[in-house]
Amino acid sequence: MQADYSDFEVVVSDNSSSDEQKCLNLEAVSPFVGAPNFRIVSPPRLLSPPEHFEFALDFASGDYISYATDKMVMLPNALSRAAAAISASGADIVNWANAPYYVGDSQSPAGPGTLYEEIEFLDGKPTPYDPIEALRFKAASSVRRDLQRTRDYVVGKIIFGCYSRELVNRIRAKSGTLFGGATHDYSAMIQGLSLARGCVMLNCFGILFISLPVDQSLGSLTTTYAQQALRYFRSFSNADAILSSLPVPGLYASVHNMVAHDYKKFLPIYGRMDLFDEGNWLAAIHHELTSQSKVWRDSDEMDEQMERLFDYISQAGQRLPFYSRRVRATLVARYEIWRNSATGQRLERLVGKPPSVIYRNREAASLDEAMRHLVASRT
């Protein structure tokens, strides 16, 4: 609401599970209620994330549409930069980078914390990119999601940029849905890159991303905790159908299996299934299941999920370097010892930062101060 570009609207869609939480949320946005470009809506029942994104889409009336999750704070100059790029190129998709802000107190996300700025995005210039080449890189999964550089990760995503209304209409005319897969962001991205007639990467920060502890972040929860991933699937109205249609059926403990579902669902619609590399996706799923950071309910759950992967790979004629269950149990036990050590605790805070990326970090007294740093930053 503090954007330096005036022609925009904000639609807040509240998918809270309780009236108490909805009251708290309404209190938080109360200063803006009544503004001509602000609207708050709520679905008639609790929806899964993709279903909720599709619901909110029907309330947007602009020529370009962007999504911000509840951990994203859009910078005041993001819309003006996007509008300038759209005016110059007519691009269907415009993307920007995100700067993580690690808050000191997760209960006070607007308080002091540490801002991490990638040097690459401090004073970048807009550049066009080929949507099919971007889709080829992502669909092949030659680089796992957690190892991708920020630029490769955000291109094509509507939650790290905006789509033209015309592109959204063409997607819905083709498949009937923008977000109708196992995930919201990948469902839209696969279809957007398949049909986009022009794409631009701003190469600058558009949002500040509040980084919360693992147990308070939906993405981290579903990646780390097997039971939370299952809970995510159970939020769908057609949960059993989605679980059975996963590339490795019933294997809920892998986010890569979740994302691969959307590639296998939407690529054939656009004649792009040749871009999908099943072997790479299976390797990524295997790596995720054998990761030392994966948290299982118990050993039976781990064995059951691993067995599903083994069976599928055997049937598909694939070969992967599997750990035995005995070695896997040893790895888990050793990791628990390591994680509780002082060295382990220090290293855990660095997880997720690719070693090839150059960061500049700033201690900020508040979220507002961090935002001012980002707007004024130069290389």
Side-chain angles (χ1 to χ4, degrees):
M1 294 299 280
Q2 298 174 15
D4 62 7
Y5 182 82
S6 60
D7 190 11
F8 70 93
E9 65 180 358
V10 175
V11 177
V12 175
S13 186
D14 188 346
N15 192 39
S16 299
S17 58
S18 70
D19 291 338
E20 179 185 11
Q21 185 61 56
K22 287 184 179 181
C23 288
L24 290 172
N25 292 341
L26 183 60
E27 181 182 345
V29 299
S30 59
F32 313 111
V33 174
N37 62 339
F38 181 88
R39 185 178 186 183
I40 185 165
V41 299
S42 187
R45 61 179 178 83
L46 196 63
L47 301 176
S48 68
E51 292 167 332
H52 185 216
F53 271 53
E54 196 79 37
F55 166 82
L57 181 60
D58 291 334
F59 296 92
S61 62
D63 295 325
Y64 280 76
I65 299 168
S66 179
Y67 277 75
T69 71
D70 51 9
K71 294 182 293 183
M72 296 179 177
V73 184
M74 193 169 289
L75 299 185
N77 58 4
L79 296 182
S80 58
R81 286 182 165 184
I86 290 166
S87 178
S89 67
D92 275 329
I93 300 177
V94 176
N95 292 115
W96 47 62
N98 60 297
Y101 183 62
Y102 291 83
V103 295
D105 180 1
S106 61
Q107 300 303 314
S108 302
T114 304
L115 173 68
Y116 284 87
E117 302 166 300
E118 290 184 45
I119 300 298
E120 177 183 359
F121 301 118
L122 290 185
D123 197 21
K125 305 300 180 185
T127 56
Y129 67 88
D130 185 329
I132 301 304
E133 284 306 308
L135 183 61
R136 186 185 310 277
F137 169 80
K138 291 168 178 280
S141 190
S142 53
V143 179
R144 294 197 320 268
R145 294 168 60 257
D146 54 310
L147 296 180
Q148 291 175 15
R149 296 176 64 89
T150 298
R151 187 185 190 282
D152 293 327
Y153 186 77
V154 304
V155 293
K157 288 198 170 185
I158 196 170
I159 61 172
F160 296 113
C162 56
Y163 284 15
S164 71
R165 165 68 66 178
E166 198 271 338
L167 174 63
V168 170
N169 290 343
R170 283 192 286 128
I171 291 172
R172 292 179 116 181
K174 183 76 172 178
S175 70
T177 175
L178 183 61
F179 301 106
T183 73
H184 43 292
D185 51 345
Y186 283 92
S187 294
M189 183 200 75
I190 295 161
Q191 300 187 87
L193 290 175
S194 294
L195 286 184
R197 293 171 179 161
C199 300
V200 172
M201 175 64 183
L202 296 182
N203 293 311
C204 63
F205 294 115
I207 58 171
L208 182 150
F209 192 93
I210 300 174
S211 185
L212 297 174
V214 170
D215 62 350
Q216 296 183 31
S217 167
L218 178 62
S220 298
L221 275 171
T222 54
T223 301
T224 306
Y225 296 89
Q227 281 294 297
Q228 290 295 334
L230 179 59
R231 182 180 178 185
Y232 172 86
F233 282 112
R234 291 299 182 196
S235 71
F236 287 79
S237 57
N238 58 338
D240 292 337
I242 289 182
L243 283 167
S244 62
S245 66
L246 292 173
V248 181
L251 199 161
Y252 55 78
S254 167
V255 173
H256 281 90
N257 198 35
M258 182 190 301
V259 170
H261 167 279
D262 293 345
Y263 282 101
K264 294 195 75 172
K265 176 176 180 176
F266 291 110
L267 286 177
I269 296 175
Y270 298 92
R272 305 287 184 185
M273 195 58 197
D274 60 301
L275 304 182
F276 187 82
D277 190 318
E278 183 176 49
N280 285 342
W281 283 100
L282 290 173
I285 294 168
H286 168 258
H287 180 275
E288 190 176 351
L289 293 187
T290 56
S291 169
Q292 293 179 334
S293 61
K294 179 67 70 178
V295 178
W296 302 95
R297 179 191 60 201
D298 51 36
S299 60
D300 288 341
E301 180 184 41
M302 179 185 72
D303 287 347
E304 190 273 339
Q305 290 287 283
M306 293 289 285
E307 196 66 39
R308 287 182 182 272
L309 180 60
F310 296 156
D311 289 345
Y312 181 84
I313 288 175
S314 176
Q315 295 169 11
Q318 297 281 348
R319 294 173 61 87
L320 292 174
F322 293 112
Y323 292 111
S324 69
R325 291 190 182 89
R326 181 176 299 175
V327 173
R328 165 68 182 154
T330 302
L331 285 172
V332 172
R334 288 179 178 173
Y335 175 65
E336 289 303 319
I337 296 172
W338 174 87
R339 187 168 65 174
N340 291 327
S341 69
T343 300
Q345 291 172 11
R346 286 196 298 271
L347 288 176
E348 273 201 317
R349 291 196 290 270
L350 300 178
V351 171
K353 300 185 179 67
S356 60
V357 173
I358 301 174
Y359 285 87
R360 182 172 75 184
N361 65 299
R362 298 175 182 268
E363 299 299 324
S366 66
L367 183 69
D368 285 341
E369 182 180 323
M371 290 181 65
R372 288 195 296 271
H373 281 317
L374 277 181
V375 173
S377 286
R378 293 294 181 269
T379 303

